[in-house]
Amino acid sequence: MLEELAKIRENALARLKEVKSEAELNELNIEILGRNGALTGILRSMGKLSPEERAELGKSANAAKQALAEAFGARKAAMVELAEKRRNEKEALDVTLPGIQTVPLGKLNPLTVVYREIRDALIGLGFTTFEGPEIEYDDYNFTKLNLPLDHPARDMQDTFYIDDKTLLRTHTSPCEARALMTMKPPFRLVIPGRVFRVDEPDASHSPVFMQIEGLVVDKDLTLADLKGTIDTFVKAVFGENVKSRLRPSYFPFTEPSAEVDISCTICGGKGCSSCKGTGWMEIMGCGITNPHEIENCGLDPKEWKAFAFGVGVDRVACLKYGINDVRLIYEGDARFLKQL
Ligand code: DAH
């Protein structure tokens, strides 16, 4: 019986090592130490033994029982501790980790993108930014720019008048007058801003839109400087393959004046329905600043030359992104912006 007892003890300790869960541990406990367990069986059968044998076996059996109970207890404690450690690891929260992005990010409006592209290309050529007010004097918006009161070209731009002297500027060109009157030449300016015209909104018109004016004042300037400047930002916005050309035109504030065309962004210049078969698309006006304007603003036109251009940012954005309705640009619908 002593031998059997030793076997039970050894066997139980060996199996204890293999136990994988608390449930298995409990089962083994019952199997060995429970009321009908193996060890209990031995203790029960001791009645048949002689008092000496009984004393000896009893001692060993109690020692085995105690040792096993301790081993079971230790194993159980280790299991509980391990389970807790695992749970803690799983639930651990590192508050220094970056958060999970759940707020949807917005997108830049195409006007902003195009403005920044033009601005940055020009800054690369030594330009700085300049701004003027949206509510402007008639004098700066028209008269100083060589458009006196009775000038027929005033009708080219339908104007929101506030009173007979003030209006909502119809273009960014009055900032040319402000710069010429206040800054010390030579200088190169890129002038962004909102402009206003009396127009019913439709696919190609908005009563408020955005222009960028460029103005360069220096001693010796030629049409080639103007063309090079324009070509630089056309390529920055539309890509290296897009060409630009100047086509003669008329503006009171420039002489000579030109429209800038770029090679069609849809067909690449072969001719398609978007460019009406010409291979070219008009994007803006420009020219050598009229000496009258320079003089009206207090500089000597014999000493100072200037060139200027004015571009509708929405028009450029429509061409760049293939947008067929300017209203989309101004409505700020996130579903539209996401597609760009
Ligand atoms: N201000 C003109 C417009 O709104 C555009 C323009 C043309 C500006 C020629 C210029 C320029 O500076 O030289 O239609």
Side-chain angles (χ1 to χ4, degrees):
M1 267 201 184
L2 270 175
E3 244 169 60
E4 203 183 324
L5 182 65
K7 233 190 242 162
I8 289 172
R9 181 174 172 166
E10 243 164 68
N11 185 26
L13 288 173
R15 283 177 63 194
L16 187 61
K17 280 195 194 130
E18 307 295 318
V19 152
K20 289 198 186 61
S21 66
E22 273 191 64
E24 274 182 43
L25 182 70
N26 284 339
E27 264 169 42
L28 186 63
N29 194 1
I30 291 168
E31 196 183 317
I32 310 291
L33 301 174
R35 223 184 321 138
N36 300 317
L39 195 68
T40 325
I42 293 224
L43 290 169
R44 280 220 189 99
S45 59
M46 284 197 323
K48 298 172 208 146
L49 299 175
S50 67
E52 300 82 51
E53 282 174 324
R54 203 186 305 161
E56 199 191 339
L57 187 67
K59 221 165 131 199
S60 305
N62 276 330
K65 193 175 172 180
Q66 201 180 338
L68 283 174
E70 268 169 27
F72 276 100
R75 188 69 215 267
K76 181 156 184 161
M79 276 181 145
V80 168
E81 197 180 323
L82 185 70
E84 188 168 294
K85 195 170 153 225
R86 290 226 174 99
R87 198 176 59 237
N88 284 344
E89 274 167 8
K90 216 165 109 193
E91 289 174 0
L93 180 67
D94 183 349
V95 291
T96 65
L97 284 177
I100 297 162
Q101 177 68 51
T102 52
V103 181
L105 278 180
K107 272 214 135 188
L108 290 178
N109 188 283
L111 290 178
T112 309
V113 176
V114 167
Y115 164 57
R116 289 183 182 174
E117 283 170 353
I118 294 176
R119 178 198 62 189
D120 293 349
L122 292 175
I123 283 176
L125 297 179
F127 284 58
T128 50
T129 54
F130 183 91
E131 282 184 55
E134 291 171 359
I135 295 175
E136 185 55 281
Y137 294 117
D138 176 291
D139 187 39
Y140 292 179
N141 194 80
F142 290 127
T143 312
K144 288 229 171 2
L145 304 182
N146 198 31
L147 279 137
L149 265 179
D150 53 357
H151 199 291
R154 281 193 173 218
D155 297 341
M156 282 161 72
Q157 303 176 353
D158 250 333
T159 310
F160 287 110
Y161 276 93
I162 292 167
D163 55 41
D164 26 317
K165 286 208 181 65
T166 41
L167 44 73
L168 296 181
R169 66 179 176 193
T170 56
H171 50 182
T172 41
S173 302
C175 300
E176 290 187 16
R178 287 178 177 272
L180 288 166
M181 290 165 69
T182 55
M183 291 183 63
K184 201 169 158 295
F187 54 78
R188 300 170 206 184
L189 300 179
V190 49
I191 310 163
R194 249 191 299 244
V195 302
F196 308 84
R197 289 188 201 173
V198 184
D199 266 326
E200 279 298 320
D202 65 22
S204 52
H205 292 93
S206 165
V208 189
F209 58 103
M210 189 186 171
Q211 282 192 339
I212 297 176
E213 192 87 9
L215 175 65
V216 173
V217 184
D218 212 325
K219 301 235 163 177
D220 295 306
L221 288 174
T222 69
L223 217 52
D225 298 309
L226 169 61
K227 193 167 190 317
T229 304
I230 284 170
D231 201 55
T232 300
F233 85 68
V234 162
K235 287 184 162 51
V237 174
F238 292 101
E240 284 298 317
N241 296 330
V242 172
K243 296 195 204 58
S244 67
R245 72 171 185 187
L246 301 187
R247 182 166 39 79
S249 182
Y250 172 75
F251 295 101
F253 26 89
T254 42
E255 182 56 42
S257 303
E259 292 287 351
V260 178
D261 294 337
I262 59 168
S263 52
C264 178
T265 51
I266 308 291
C267 65
K270 289 189 206 79
C272 67
S273 61
S274 295
C275 57
K276 300 195 181 80
T278 63
W280 296 95
M281 290 169 142
E282 182 184 312
I283 59 162
M284 60 190 246
C286 67
I288 300 291
T289 306
N290 194 311
H292 292 306
E293 175 184 324
I294 295 182
E295 194 167 14
N296 290 344
C297 298
L299 292 178
D300 179 0
K302 291 206 192 66
E303 187 183 2
W304 297 105
K305 305 275 174 277
F307 69 72
F309 51 88
V311 54
V313 187
D314 50 1
R315 169 135 183 89
V316 172
C318 284
L319 290 179
K320 180 176 166 119
Y321 293 105
I323 300 163
N324 56 15
D325 190 329
V326 282
R327 287 169 294 191
L328 289 166
I329 290 180
Y330 294 104
E331 278 163 3
D333 188 326
R335 291 168 301 180
F336 163 71
L337 295 176
K338 261 196 213 133
Q339 295 172 40
L340 299 177

